[in-house]
Amino acid sequence: NGINHEQQSAQSVLRGRQSAVAIESTQQREASASVTREVQFTILPDGRMVDLIRSVRHPSNIEYLVWQDGNIGRTTHIEYDDELLVVPKMDPTVVSALRLPTMARPCPEIGELFRLLMYHIETYVDITTEHSLLVAAFILTTWFADRFSVVPYLSICGPPESGKTTLLRLLHCLCRRAIHASAITPASLYRLAAQIRPTLLIDEADFGTDRTSRDVQRLLRGGNRQGSRVLCNGRAFENFGPKVIASRIALDDAALVSRNIHIVMTPSDRDVPSLDQDAEEKLADALQPMLEMFRLLHYVRVVASQHPGFLKFPPRLRDNARALAAAMMGNEELQQRLAGALESQLHSMQF
């Protein structure tokens, strides 16, 4: 009887251990399956391309557009490989300020797409064809910025009544994930860039000698090259992404100047249509879905251009030219026109 009692006790202990192991294993599987990861864009191993769009039914919400082999779907989350992919959590005020398409629609070929962008730019802003081409190239570059090691900034300089603000509003309609900010702090600059990779439109950027201005300029100098990170409170934030810097006076930081494509604007008496809020929404609703489709179709093929016409430029302008020409998809005419338009940038950089 004593032996039987000991055997029963041992079996009871063994069953208890097996039960504990089973419970722990179940908990581990459940924990693994419940791991969530915020994703702003990804290509899954099965070929699905996942990007952020704005909900049609609930414009204050962001969801996923899922594209594969020409088929498009929408979802609020994706379960894949024991992970739950969810859209980044953002303050509602940031969501409302962020420009996102609501869908992807058929887009024209590259030559026609450039003509369409330049037509709208020249409709609302009194600008030279050379500058219009540079702005259109910058717009398309923002849709593929995560494919490049270096991206150019766009500097817009001009006094009041020169159309500078209108051009900024136009860029907010057409650039990828554009956010228009009249003022920005150093912390918001790198945190927002790391979270959703937006195109930041920084207005009234007349930098002074105060500490905040110096910090913002320092972050901007490092934000055009992929891999540069900001360390803060034990975390590393990537500050990379395209940016537009609008100011009344020219930038005087030589290192920052060399990272920009420069557009100088002057007051004009030309009668141009008003780009009011209704016109902005119509323009964005028409072109954002086209530009989204252009990104989906060509994302894996876009690489920095090696056009020989850019070899005459100094290294930083050459890098900017190669990024600007990447979305031209090898179109020889557009690349030659871009090389000609960039020659005037040499004088701006030297100045």
Side-chain angles (χ1 to χ4, degrees), residues 32-236:
S32 176
S34 63
V35 169
T36 61
R37 181 163 62 97
E38 293 186 359
V39 172
Q40 53 84 22
F41 173 79
T42 191
I43 301 178
L44 297 173
D46 62 8
R48 283 180 291 173
M49 196 173 291
V50 180
D51 208 353
L52 298 181
I53 58 172
R54 190 175 298 279
S55 171
V56 175
R57 293 183 179 181
H58 306 284
S60 60
N61 294 340
I62 293 176
E63 56 191 20
Y64 283 134
L65 179 148
V66 182
W67 186 85
Q68 186 176 33
D69 299 329
N71 298 313
I72 296 176
R74 295 170 175 270
T75 185
T76 57
H77 61 276
I78 297 173
E79 293 184 23
Y80 190 86
D81 196 20
D82 295 331
E83 278 191 322
L84 182 65
L85 306 183
V86 297
V87 299
K89 294 179 181 178
M90 290 178 280
D91 187 276
T93 58
V94 173
V95 174
S96 65
L98 184 66
R99 179 70 71 184
L100 287 170
T102 56
M103 181 48 74
R105 297 194 187 100
C107 63
E109 53 85 24
I110 184 61
E112 180 59 31
L113 186 56
F114 254 89
R115 283 190 289 272
L116 187 62
L117 291 173
M118 292 175 66
Y119 167 77
H120 287 295
I121 294 167
E122 294 172 21
T123 295
Y124 291 103
V125 183
D126 189 5
I127 193 172
T128 66
T129 302
E130 181 181 88
H131 282 169
S132 176
L133 176 73
L134 291 175
V135 173
F138 176 82
I139 289 169
L140 280 184
T141 299
T142 68
W143 287 87
F144 298 96
D146 50 344
R147 292 285 290 159
F148 310 132
S149 58
V150 175
V151 291
Y153 295 161
L154 184 67
S155 168
I156 305 171
C157 179
E161 307 298 326
S162 63
K164 173 169 52 68
T165 300
T166 301
L167 182 53
L168 270 182
R169 292 167 61 187
L170 195 64
L171 289 166
H172 185 253
C173 296
L174 302 176
C175 291
R176 173 172 161 83
R177 299 183 184 175
I179 291 185
H180 190 175
S182 58
I184 191 165
T185 64
S188 61
L189 180 63
Y190 61 75
R191 288 179 185 274
L192 202 57
Q195 186 180 34
I196 55 171
R197 296 289 182 92
T199 302
L200 288 173
L201 313 180
I202 306 172
D203 198 4
E204 300 298 334
D206 298 320
F207 299 116
T209 58
D210 58 286
R211 179 176 178 179
T212 299
S213 292
R214 294 197 306 271
D215 287 345
V216 169
Q217 289 184 84
R218 175 175 50 81
L219 291 171
L220 289 173
R221 287 195 296 268
N224 75 315
R225 186 172 293 277
Q226 193 132 216
S228 176
R229 286 175 170 78
V230 179
L231 301 180
C232 181
N233 297 326
R235 294 182 61 189

Side-chain angles (χ1 to χ4, degrees), residues 18 53-54 59 78 100 245 276 297 306:
Q18 289 174 338
I53 58 172
R54 190 175 298 279
I78 297 173
L100 287 170
I245 306 171
D276 56 24
L297 289 172
Q306 298 301 316

Side-chain angles (χ1 to χ4, degrees), residues 150-152 225 258-261 304-326 338 342 345-346 349:
V150 175
V151 291
R225 186 172 293 277
S258 68
R259 289 157 170 79
N260 280 266
I261 299 301
S305 171
Q306 298 301 316
H307 192 273
F310 305 145
L311 295 175
K312 59 187 173 184
F313 298 139
R316 283 186 177 160
L317 184 56
R318 191 186 313 146
D319 289 341
N320 287 343
R322 287 171 171 169
L324 289 170
L338 177 64
L342 287 173
Q345 297 294 310
L346 288 169
M349 294 176 66

